[in-house]
C-alpha cells in the first residue's frame, strides 16, 4: 500500500498538534496594496505549542509565525481564508501498481524565452534578472506589509514581541517591513554546497538513490546537482508542477462554476458539475468560504417561479475516463485520502464533512469518501429543493443544450437557473499545497486540460501539464506524469526541473505563478512541516525552510526554498525513491538535516 503526504502524517513528524484545517503555510499574511486582505483567525492555544521547540527557535520561549508570501495585487486576491491541513495515518506494505504512460498531446510551442540557457551543462539556467525579493513577492515594485513577524524576521527587518504568546492577544495591525533577503549577500560556491551536503547524502536511511538539485534564485545558477536531470518518483512534490501549470493555464483569478439548468421535462433540474472539488452543501462544509449548493437551490427556486421542482439529474460528464488514477496503490481509493475524481462532488467527496472537520487533528485528516460523489451531491441538492421519497432519487444525464431565457411560466430546456463559483484559483492552489490535498490536485490537473483543449481526464491532464511546462520554456522531457496529485508511482520528475519551476515562479517573468509561495509549508510551523525541524540537528531550518513534501512507501521528497546564514535565497529539491521500508521517520529527519545544512552555512 502507498503512503503519501496527506496519506500518512504521524503526529510529531508532519502533523499538527492542534488547531483546525487551514492553509497558507502560516497564519501571518502579506497584504498587497488594494487587495484588502481580511484579518486572520485567532491563533491556536498556547498549550498547543511545544515550549522546548519554541525556545530553540527564538531563545525566549516564543515562536512567532513566519510571514506568508503573496503574489502581486490582483482583484481576486481579496478572497483569503484559513484552510485545512489534511494528514495521514500509517499504511501497510508496499504494493506497486503497473506503470501507465500518458497519451501524446502534440508539440508545445517552440523555443525558450530570451536569456534561457539550454546548454548541456545547464539547460535550466534562468534569466539573470531574477528578483531577489521573492520572499515578499514584490514582483511589481509594490511596497508590502507583513501582519506578524516570524522566525524569518532577520530576513525582513522585523523584531517585535510575538502576538501568539497568549491566545487572547489582539491581532496587531500590519506594519511596513523591508523586503526580502539581501540581494547582495554572497553567493554560495558549488564547492561550498558540495562540502555541506555530500556527507549527509550518504545517510543509509536515504536509500540507494538520492537525486538532488540546488540553485541560486538570484542568478539561476546551479550550485549542486546529483542525478539532477534524472526522472525520480516525486510523490506529492508533483503538486508543485500542478500548481504552476494551473496558475499559468487558468490564472490566479479563475473560478470554477457549478450550474443548474432546466431539464427536458417541466420541473426537472440538471445539476452540472464544473469540477469544483470544494463545493459545499451548506455553511458547514469542510472548506471555508466554498461555493454552496444551498445558495444554488435558492436561485433555482426563484428562477422556476411557480413551477415546482420534480426531479434532479446530475451531469458530471465534464470529467471523462477512469475515476481512479493509473499507478495508484490499491488502498488509495478506499484509504480515506484519495477519492473517485468527478466533475461534481461536495467537500472533496467526504461523506461527513462536519465530523471530518471536527476530528481533523485526531484523525490526521482521514475521512470516509463517497464512492459516487456526483450522485451524493445530487441527492443533497434534491433535498435542498424540497424533494422527498422517490422524487429525491437522482440519476446521471446530460444537460440539454441552452434554449430560450427562463420565463415566469416554465424555463426552456437548457436555460440556466442558477450558478455558484468556487474560490479563486489562487486559494485552491493554497489548499492543495499546504494540505497536500489529493482531490483538489486532480481537479486542478483537469483545469489545465480544459484550458489546453485536452480531455479532462488523468491522461488529458498529464498531457496538458506537459504542454504548459514546454510553454514556460522548461525541460518538458524531464517530467512524465500519470496524475496531478503524486499518488501515482508512474510519475517521474527530475530535481532540476523542480528547482526551475520554483525559481521561475519567483523571477518576475510570470507574476501569476508567485501564488505557489503562499501555500508552502514552513519548517517547524505549518502544514506538512509543522512538526519537523524541532531537534538541534535541524533547528537551523526552522522558519527559513519553506517546502512541499512528498511521501509514498519507499519514496520521500522535499522541494522548496531556503535562505542561507548569509541571507542568500536558494531553491532545492531532494528526491529519494529507493528508501528502506519502515524508515519513514528516520528518512524525513535525514532530509531535514540536508535542508538545514543549507540554512546553516554560507557555503562559500
Amino acid at each position: 500500500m502507498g503512503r503519501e503526504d496527506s496519506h500518512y502524517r504521524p503526529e510529531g513528524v508532519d502533523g499538527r498538534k492542534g488547531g483546525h484545517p487551514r492553509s497558507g503555510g502560516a497564519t501571518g499574511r502579506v497584504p498587497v496594496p488594494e487587495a484588502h486582505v481580511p484579518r486572520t483567525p485567532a491563533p491556536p492555544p498556547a498549550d498547543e505549542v511545544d515550549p522546548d521547540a519554541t525556545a530553540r527557535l527564538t531563545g525566549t520561549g516564543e515562536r512567532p509565525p513566519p510571514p506568508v508570501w503573496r503574489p502581486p495585487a490582483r482583484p481576486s486576491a481579496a478572497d483569503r481564508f484559513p484552510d485545512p491541513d489534511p494528514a495521514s495515518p500509517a499504511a501497510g506494505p508496499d504494493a506497486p501498481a503497473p506503470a501507465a504512460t500518458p497519451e501524446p498531446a502534440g508539440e508545445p510551442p517552440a523555443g525558450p524565452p530570451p536569456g534561457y540557457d539550454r546548454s548541456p551543462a545547464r539547460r535550466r539556467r534562468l534569466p539573470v534578472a531574477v528578483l531577489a525579493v521573492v520572499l515578499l513577492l514584490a514582483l511589481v515594485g509594490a511596497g508590502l506589509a507583513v501582519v506578524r513577524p516570524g522566525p524569518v524576521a532577520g530576513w525582513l527587518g522585523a523584531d517585535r514581541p510575538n502576538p501568539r504568546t497568549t491566545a487572547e492577544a489582539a491581532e496587531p495591525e500590519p506594519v511596513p517591513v523591508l523586503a526580502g533577503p539581501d540581494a547582495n549577500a554572497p553567493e554560495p560556491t558549488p564547492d561550498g554546497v558540495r562540502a555541506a551536503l555530500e556527507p549527509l547524502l550518504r545517510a543509509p536511511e536515504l536509500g540507494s538513490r538520492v537525486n538532488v538539485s540546488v540553485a541560486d534564485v538570484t542568478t539561476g545558477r546551479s550550485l549542486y546537482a546529483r542525478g539532477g536531470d534524472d526522472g525520480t518518483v516525486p510523490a506529492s512534490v508533483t503538486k508543485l508542477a500542478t500548481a504552476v501549470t494551473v496558475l499559468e493555464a487558468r490564472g490566479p483569478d479563475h473560478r470554477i462554476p457549478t450550474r443548474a439548468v432546466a431539464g427536458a421535462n417541466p420541473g426537472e433540474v440538471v445539476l452540472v458539475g464544473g469540477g469544483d472539488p470544494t463545493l459545499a452543501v451548506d455553511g458547514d462544509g469542510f472548506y471555508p468560504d466554498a461555493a454552496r449548493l444551498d445558495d444554488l437551490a435558492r436561485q433555482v427556486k426563484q428562477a422556476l417561479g411557480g413551477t415546482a421542482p420534480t426531479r434532479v439529474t446530475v451531469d458530471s460528464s465534464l470529467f471523462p475516463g477512469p475515476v481512479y488514477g493509473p499507478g495508484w496503490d490499491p488502498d488509495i481509493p478506499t484509504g480515506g485520502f484519495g477519492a473517485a475524481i468527478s466533475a461534481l462532488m461536495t467537500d472533496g467527496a467526504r461523506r461527513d464533512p462536519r465530523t471530518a472537520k471536527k476530528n481533523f487533528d485526531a484523525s490526521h485528516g482521514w475521512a470516509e469518501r463517497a464512492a459516487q460523489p456526483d450522485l451524493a451531491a445530487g441527492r443533497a441538492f434534491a433535498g435542498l429543493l424540497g424533494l422527498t421519497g422517490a422524487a429525491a432519487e437522482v440519476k446521471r444525464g446530460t444537460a440539454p443544450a441552452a434554449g430560450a431565457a427562463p420565463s415566469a411560466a416554465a424555463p426552456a430546456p437548457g436555460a440556466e437557473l442558477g450558478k455558484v463559483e468556487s474560490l479563486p484559483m489562487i486559494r485552491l492552489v493554497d489548499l492543495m499545497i499546504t494540505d497536500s490535498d489529493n482531490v483538489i490536485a486532480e481537479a486542478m490537473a483537469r483545469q489545465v486540460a480544459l484550458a489546453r483543449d485536452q480531455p479532462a481526464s488523468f491522461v488529458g491532464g498529464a498531457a496538458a501539464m506537459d504542454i504548459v511546462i514546454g510553454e514556460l520554456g522548461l525541460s518538458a522531457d524531464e517530467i512524465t506524469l500519470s496524475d496531478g496529485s503524486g499518488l501515482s508511482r508512474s510519475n517521474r520528475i527530475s530535481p532540476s526541473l523542480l528547482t526551475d519551476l520554483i525559481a521561475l515562479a519567483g523571477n518576475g517573468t510570470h507574476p501569476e505563478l508567485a501564488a505557489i509561495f503562499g501555500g508552502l509549508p514552513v519548517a517547524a510551523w505549518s502544514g506538512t512541516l509543522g512538526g519537523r525541524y524541532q531537534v538541534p540537528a535541524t533547528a537551523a531550518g526552522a522558519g527559513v525552510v519553506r517546502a512541499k513534501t512528498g511521501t509514498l512507501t519507499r519514496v520521500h521528497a522535499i522541494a522548496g526554498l531556503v535562505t542561507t546564514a548569509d541571507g542568500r535565497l536558494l531553491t532545492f529539491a531532494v528526491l529519494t525513491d529507493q528508501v528502506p521500508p519502515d524508515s519513514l521517520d528516520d528518512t524525513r529527519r535525514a532530509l531535514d538535516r540536508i535542508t538545514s545544512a543549507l540554512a546553516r552555512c554560507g557555503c562559500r
Side-chain angles (χ1 to χ4, degrees):
M1 291 187 288
R3 293 171 179 158
E4 204 274 339
D5 263 340
S6 60
H7 195 59
Y8 179 76
R9 195 181 302 167
E11 187 163 282
V13 178
D14 269 344
R16 295 184 186 277
K17 296 179 181 178
H20 53 80
R22 55 189 175 185
S23 83
T27 55
R29 298 291 178 188
V30 179
V32 178
E34 301 178 1
H36 308 298
V37 180
R39 298 281 286 276
T40 54
D47 61 2
E48 293 180 354
V49 179
D50 178 359
D52 294 333
T54 58
R56 287 193 297 272
L57 297 182
T58 66
T60 64
E62 301 176 353
R63 185 169 81 181
V68 167
W69 307 325
R70 289 294 173 202
R74 301 178 69 94
S76 71
D79 294 310
R80 310 285 190 190
F81 60 92
D83 312 317
D85 183 19
S88 313
D94 199 6
T101 303
E103 297 174 355
E107 294 296 322
Y116 191 81
D117 183 356
R118 309 229 1 144
S119 64
R122 174 64 178 161
R123 295 196 304 276
R124 283 163 302 283
R125 186 166 180 169
L126 297 171
V128 173
V130 177
L131 299 185
V133 294
V134 64
L135 293 182
L136 292 185
L137 304 181
L139 302 177
V140 292
L144 302 182
V146 177
V147 174
R148 301 176 188 151
V152 291
W155 298 348
L156 308 172
D159 185 18
R160 296 189 291 116
N162 176 23
R164 276 187 176 266
T165 53
T166 65
E168 296 77 16
E171 180 80 15
E173 292 299 324
V175 295
V177 295
L178 299 176
D182 183 2
N184 297 315
E187 181 179 358
T189 66
D191 287 343
V193 175
R194 182 181 301 108
L197 296 190
E198 287 198 339
L200 300 174
L201 298 177
R202 293 193 287 268
E205 54 266 37
L206 292 173
S208 58
R209 186 161 78 153
V210 187
N211 292 335
V212 183
S213 174
V214 179
D216 183 82
V217 171
T218 303
T219 65
R221 280 194 289 268
S222 174
L223 298 175
Y224 182 79
R226 169 176 166 170
D229 294 344
D230 295 348
T232 315
V233 180
S236 193
V237 170
T238 302
K239 294 181 177 74
L240 289 175
T242 305
V244 166
T245 54
V246 76
L247 288 168
E248 177 66 17
R250 283 300 201 195
D253 299 337
H254 181 76
R255 296 172 184 261
I256 302 171
T258 302
R259 301 185 303 123
V261 303
N265 303 308
E268 181 183 7
V269 179
V270 182
L271 181 61
V272 184
D276 176 10
T278 65
L279 180 69
V281 175
D282 52 32
D284 289 327
F286 185 82
Y287 302 102
D289 294 347
R292 292 163 45 174
L293 285 179
D294 58 352
D295 290 338
L296 185 59
R298 282 190 286 270
Q299 295 177 41
V300 169
K301 290 176 182 178
Q302 182 176 359
L304 287 176
T307 302
T310 57
R311 69 179 305 168
V312 169
T313 299
V314 297
D315 183 349
S316 56
S317 60
L318 185 65
F319 289 0
V323 297
Y324 300 117
W328 283 13
D329 287 343
D331 68 312
I332 289 172
T334 58
F337 296 96
I341 305 303
S342 171
L344 178 63
M345 63 172 61
T346 56
D347 300 297
R350 291 170 179 84
R351 287 186 178 273
D352 186 352
R354 294 170 181 81
T355 300
K357 185 165 56 174
K358 179 180 178 182
N359 298 331
F360 181 83
D361 291 299
S363 67
H364 300 293
W366 180 92
E368 186 179 0
R369 312 282 173 146
Q372 298 177 309
D374 54 346
L375 295 180
R379 287 190 288 270
F381 190 59
L384 292 168
L385 291 176
L387 299 177
T388 59
E393 292 301 314
V394 301
K395 66 176 183 177
R396 295 186 179 96
T398 303
S407 66
E416 186 173 284
L417 305 176
K419 180 175 72 172
V420 292
E421 294 184 318
S422 73
L423 291 152
M425 199 61 63
I426 183 176
R427 299 303 298 130
L428 298 179
V429 167
D430 258 8
L431 282 163
M432 175 184 68
I433 292 179
T434 301
D435 306 348
S436 202
D437 193 307
N438 298 312
V439 176
I440 293 180
E442 299 303 344
M444 296 298 96
R446 283 158 175 74
Q447 289 299 316
V448 182
L450 293 170
R452 292 297 181 268
D453 299 320
Q454 299 293 315
S457 62
F458 284 102
V459 171
M465 290 171 65
D466 192 73
I467 291 172
V468 175
I469 292 291
E471 291 172 357
L472 291 169
L474 301 176
S475 299
D477 60 336
E478 293 183 15
I479 183 169
T480 302
L481 296 179
S482 294
D483 68 12
S485 64
L487 288 172
S488 177
R489 292 180 180 274
S490 303
N491 292 341
R492 297 292 185 274
I493 304 179
S494 74
S496 293
L497 179 59
L498 288 167
T499 53
D500 286 350
L501 286 170
I502 295 166
L504 185 65
N507 73 9
T509 60
H510 293 270
E512 69 280 3
L513 304 184
I516 70 168
F517 298 122
L520 280 178
V522 181
W525 182 259
S526 65
T528 57
L529 295 180
R532 293 166 64 166
Y533 296 84
Q534 295 186 359
V535 298
T538 60
V544 296
V545 171
R546 308 182 76 117
K548 181 73 194 77
T549 57
T551 308
L552 289 164
T553 304
R554 303 198 67 180
V555 175
H556 297 269
I558 187 168
L561 292 164
V562 61
T563 297
T564 70
D566 289 335
R568 195 79 180 191
L569 184 64
L570 307 181
T571 175
F572 64 85
V574 186
L575 278 62
T576 67
D577 60 6
Q578 295 178 14
V579 173
D582 303 320
S583 64
L584 184 141
D585 290 352
D586 291 339
T587 301
R588 287 182 171 178
R589 280 190 287 268
L591 293 175
D592 296 349
R593 285 193 293 271
I594 292 169
T595 51
S596 295
L598 292 172
R600 186 168 50 246
C601 79
C603 298
R604 286 182 281 152

